[in-house]
Amino acid sequence: MSKKPVRIAVTGAAGQIGYALLFRIASGEMLGKDQPVILQLLEVPVEGPQKALKGVMMEIDDCAFPLLVEMTAHSDPMTAFKDADYALLVGSRPRGPGMERAELLAVNGAIFTAQGKALNAVASRDVRVLVVGNPANTNAYIAMKSAPDLPAKNFTAMLRLDHNRAASQIAAKTGKAVADIEKLTVWGNHSPTMYADYRFATIGGESVAQMINDQEWNANVFLPTVGKRGAAIIEARGSSSAASAANAAIDHMRDWALGTNGKWVTMGIPSGGEYGIPAETMFGFPVTCENGEYKIVEGLEIDAFSQERINITLAELEGEKAGVAHLL
Ligand SMILES: NC(=O)C1=CN([C@@H]2O[C@H](COP(=O)(O)OP(=O)(O)OC[C@H]3O[C@@H](n4cnc5c(N)ncnc54)[C@H](O)[C@@H]3O)[C@@H](O)[C@H]2O)C=CC1
Ligand SMILES: O=C([O-])CC(=O)C(=O)O
């Protein structure tokens, strides 16, 4: 094996997303089949979750993954994040039926202050962070603001599940292959206000907007379906999405680390003021990735309908941001 192993910290490792995520990371689906990995797994310092984590680690051992060099269990972020090159912050409470994700801020927000501080203190100076725990954008904002010595651009929030959901709905509507969809994006917050935008999307070089040509479907079927998909899954399954969330986390990190070959993907990233989004707002944008860095797709036309949608999701994020000022 020639590549140096990388350290990957995962929080909430004994949870349902953790169970769908860790095996795929260890098998090389996230960073490549030639990249050895070290897993540093964090759970709350409580007997039940720590015991469950041991069980998950026993199963990972039993897979005999050739790329897995080392694996450790932690109950303190200061040891879990030590020298981490990648951190997937999943651990936090999921919502139940009838709740909105923003309601989780009261119970989850403080986790990301503590974990941002710990990353700031002990992680690799180049650590790449993905926040999955909800509400993901604002939790990522809290973590970023709590880690002033790390590059703000290295803190990201997961909008990829929304992106993948939008792609799947478009494939179903057009009868085309999901793999052929390009230039799709989801703007804003990982919440029902998100704006999934296929105005620029193409399939085999042809315009998706022209293929569908149905603004009524866009506004009244597509956007609510994508925006409320998480709630629909909770309603159907009794608990929130896990395997699809883990899959989106793998997609997000893989594309960030290994590049997208010019293809657009959606990442929640701190705005640099693009498209009039105030600086530092953790916002879903269309990006391309190359050499371990993401770059916003700039210069897209924002029409009146889109601006209205972007304003709504931005206002929600600004409200969440104001509500967590006491945590920063
Ligand atoms: N951004 C997105 O697209 C999605 C986000 N989510 C969110 O991901 C989070 C996790 O979901 P699940 O795995 O289904 O929940 P879960 O309840 O099955 O697992 C969460 C785990 O995190 C642990 N945990 C809680 N606080 C922690 C802390 N401070 N440090 C380390 N571990 C901690 C818990 O002990 C538990 O084992 C939830 O907030 C959920 O809403 C879920 C799906 C999609
Ligand atoms: O809806 C939830 O609470 C879980 C989640 O974020 C999603 O499935 O998009």
Side-chain angles (χ1 to χ4, degrees):
M1 252 180 229
S2 55
K3 279 191 167 176
K4 186 170 172 270
V6 294
R7 295 183 177 274
I8 305 170
V10 181
T11 74
Q16 53 155 3
I17 295 176
Y19 195 68
L21 178 64
L22 298 174
F23 299 84
R24 296 185 62 186
I25 297 175
S27 75
E29 284 183 64
M30 187 170 90
L31 295 178
K33 297 282 181 187
D34 60 345
Q35 177 60 65
V37 297
I38 298 169
L39 288 177
Q40 304 183 169
L41 307 177
L42 179 68
E43 258 298 340
V44 285
V46 174
E47 195 185 340
Q50 286 292 327
K51 191 171 167 213
L53 176 56
K54 290 276 155 27
V56 175
M57 292 169 74
M58 287 159 69
E59 283 205 68
I60 293 173
D61 276 338
D62 294 348
C63 294
F65 289 118
L67 290 170
L68 184 62
V69 175
E70 191 187 334
M71 174 170 59
T72 49
H74 302 262
S75 56
D76 179 352
M78 290 291 280
T79 59
F81 295 158
K82 181 90 182 84
D83 299 327
D85 300 295
Y86 297 89
L88 291 90
L89 308 188
V90 179
S92 53
R93 174 116 50 95
R95 64 174 166 158
M99 286 175 78
E100 282 304 338
R101 297 182 189 96
E103 292 172 47
L104 292 169
L105 258 186
V107 282
N108 286 344
I111 295 174
F112 295 87
T113 315
Q115 294 188 353
K117 285 182 178 164
L119 286 164
N120 195 54
V122 300
S124 156
R125 299 301 83 186
D126 202 28
V127 63
R128 281 163 167 70
V129 182
L130 168 64
V131 174
V132 175
N134 276 319
N137 298 54
T138 299
N139 288 338
Y141 173 77
I142 295 170
M144 173 185 81
K145 295 299 279 181
S146 304
D149 303 329
L150 297 174
K153 69 175 173 57
N154 286 11
F155 286 79
T156 66
M158 194 162 92
L159 268 289
R160 185 57 176 265
L161 182 50
D162 311 303
H163 179 109
N164 290 349
R165 285 168 173 165
S168 162
Q169 293 298 321
I170 288 169
K173 174 75 175 170
T174 57
K176 307 278 186 185
V178 78
D180 293 337
I181 300 173
E182 304 248 10
K183 298 189 174 171
L184 176 65
T185 196
V186 182
W187 305 89
N189 199 6
H190 175 60
S191 87
T193 66
M194 72 186 78
Y195 173 43
D197 183 0
Y198 59 75
R199 289 175 306 132
F200 310 102
T202 59
I203 297 176
E206 280 183 58
S207 159
V208 167
Q210 280 173 20
M211 238 179 252
I212 294 176
N213 194 23
D214 188 347
Q215 179 57 13
E216 202 276 325
W217 180 81
N218 180 32
N220 300 323
V221 180
F222 174 70
L223 290 174
T225 301
V226 177
K228 295 183 192 152
R229 187 69 163 184
I233 287 167
I234 293 171
E235 175 61 28
R237 236 171 65 83
S239 50
S240 61
S241 57
S244 57
N247 180 68
I250 296 271
D251 284 351
H252 178 115
M253 284 309 220
R254 182 201 59 226
D255 286 349
W256 191 1
L258 304 181
T260 62
N261 271 325
K263 222 178 149 174
W264 298 13
V265 291
T266 301
M267 290 172 70
I269 57 174
S271 172
E274 294 84 353
Y275 295 101
I277 306 304
E280 292 196 322
T281 306
M282 202 56 77
F283 204 81
F285 282 109
V287 301
T288 55
C289 302
E290 200 179 343
N291 300 324
E293 304 288 345
Y294 59 77
K295 201 165 118 222
I296 292 184
V297 178
E298 293 201 66
L300 300 174
E301 193 210 321
I302 306 297
D303 62 16
F305 176 82
S306 305
Q307 191 62 58
E308 196 182 308
R309 293 285 174 157
I310 287 173
N311 291 348
I312 292 169
T313 195
L314 174 60
E316 182 182 50
L317 275 173
E318 298 275 77
E320 288 181 21
K321 211 200 264 185
V324 300
H326 65 288
L327 293 173
L328 304 177

